[in-house]
Amino acid sequence: MNSPEDPSAGVRVDVPVRQADLGRDGLASTIGMARWLEDARIRLRLHRFERLIGEGRFGPFRILLVGQRVSRLAPVGPVGTRVQVHTGVRRVGRSSVTFGQEVMVGDKRVGSGDATIVLADSSGPLRLPDELIADLDEMQLPETGVAGRPAATRLRPERLHRAHYSYWAPLRSRIGDVDSNQHVNFIALATWYDEAVAAFTLDSIGTTAGGAVPDLPPWSYQIQYLGEVTYPGNYEIALTVRSVDTGSVHYELGVFRGSTCLGVADAIGPRPAARTSEVPR
């Protein structure tokens, strides 16, 4: 379902840039863009499905995010700038749906993302009801690919093991991270990955206590959620550098509780300007 303003189809939602969306450079961060994508998904109207729930013919259930990708493609700001998030459906499975999203400022594409969700109860994933599938079918995106959208990557088994990673950042979950599903919210988890990259960067370039902290957060994340991160709990964010090129660093990350991997992420961020030859591999 295309609209005249929509470059690739979907439902358009306007979102203002808020102070909390900004990074240290005064422009929208990748985490801020992830919030916009979530805002747009929450505001989708699924009339048949909502009627089914209202009539008590489906439920109880939880909506679980099992994977997402978010990429910041261009600077956005200042506060008050209006962005448009276009959301459509890329794939409908037996128990999951994958949304595709684009972030626009006017006719300029400044961000993109995907999100895969499942409906589940205490026994596991639920089959999507026909009413929901009918709603989602009306938001199907064209099959043609979007430039710059990376292909989904299969999770390699070694990503689940501590031995794969070379750097560790300890973190403790906070009560403010917990959402209505009683686990740590996915936005909070994304900030944990940001925290690990920042700590790793500090160590890599040799910044001393009290020195300037480099502002080098990733501009792209692809995240898979494998288990629930809960409160209270002590966790570690694992990191290793997959590759380094002229201007960027490609990271592989994971969140661990003991020996159990609860999620993984691939991230791309800027390469530190100082002592770049010493970025560990």
Side-chain angles (χ1 to χ4, degrees):
M1 58 186 289
N2 296 340
S3 64
E5 306 90 347
D6 190 339
S8 63
V11 177
R12 194 188 88 167
V13 171
D14 289 346
V15 179
V17 177
R18 299 153 295 201
Q19 185 68 37
D21 299 330
L22 303 184
R24 289 169 52 208
D25 61 359
L27 300 170
S29 67
T30 308
I31 303 301
M33 285 195 172
R35 293 191 184 99
W36 304 344
L37 303 183
E38 180 190 32
D39 284 353
R41 295 193 301 270
I42 290 172
R43 290 159 65 180
L44 291 175
R45 304 308 302 168
L46 303 168
H47 298 289
R48 299 175 184 86
F49 183 52
E50 291 166 7
R51 186 164 53 249
L52 182 73
I53 295 170
E55 294 171 353
R57 295 190 290 122
F58 186 80
F61 67 94
R62 295 189 297 165
I63 299 174
L64 301 179
L65 183 67
V66 298
Q68 71 164 331
R69 176 185 63 84
V70 56
S71 297
R72 184 179 62 173
L73 305 178
V76 182
V79 170
T81 302
R82 306 294 299 192
V83 302
Q84 299 80 44
V85 181
H86 302 262
T87 303
V89 172
R90 294 205 186 281
R91 178 184 177 275
V92 178
R94 180 184 177 88
S95 59
S96 68
V97 55
T98 298
F99 294 101
Q101 298 181 277
E102 304 291 335
V103 183
M104 310 290 296
V105 175
D107 60 358
K108 183 178 182 181
R109 183 168 170 259
V110 298
S112 68
D114 299 322
T116 299
I117 66 168
V118 300
L119 304 185
D121 62 12
S122 58
S123 65
L126 298 170
R127 182 169 183 168
L128 301 183
D130 292 340
E131 291 83 354
L132 176 56
I133 292 173
D135 285 331
L136 296 171
D137 282 345
E138 293 182 350
M139 293 184 284
Q140 284 280 357
L141 294 170
E143 290 298 324
T144 54
V146 177
R149 177 174 175 259
T153 56
R154 186 181 296 275
L155 179 62
R156 307 194 315 275
E158 62 266 27
R159 297 290 303 274
L160 305 179
H161 300 291
R162 294 179 65 92
H164 177 69
Y165 301 93
S166 59
Y167 183 85
W168 297 85
L171 286 168
R172 182 172 175 81
S173 59
R174 301 162 298 184
I175 189 61
D177 298 335
V178 177
D179 63 19
S180 59
N181 283 326
Q182 302 305 310
H183 58 224
V184 172
N185 179 263
F186 75 91
I187 292 291
L189 282 176
T191 68
W192 289 13
Y193 290 127
D194 257 13
E195 179 76 21
V197 171
F200 169 78
T201 302
L202 284 174
D203 286 352
S204 298
I205 66 177
T207 299
T208 58
V213 179
D215 187 22
L216 299 169
W219 58 64
S220 175
Y221 276 114
Q222 186 164 329
I223 302 173
Q224 297 181 58
Y225 305 94
L226 307 176
E228 292 193 353
V229 178
T230 57
Y231 173 87
N234 293 312
Y235 298 89
E236 293 173 285
I237 305 300
L239 180 152
T240 195
V241 173
R242 183 173 73 245
S243 62
V244 180
D245 55 34
T246 302
S248 62
V249 183
H250 297 246
Y251 303 97
E252 294 183 342
L253 302 109
V255 55
F256 281 80
R257 190 169 192 174
S259 61
T260 302
C261 182
L262 299 170
V264 297
D266 295 276
I268 305 173
R271 183 173 179 173
R275 295 175 64 182
T276 53
S277 62
E278 298 182 21
V279 174
R281 300 297 298 272

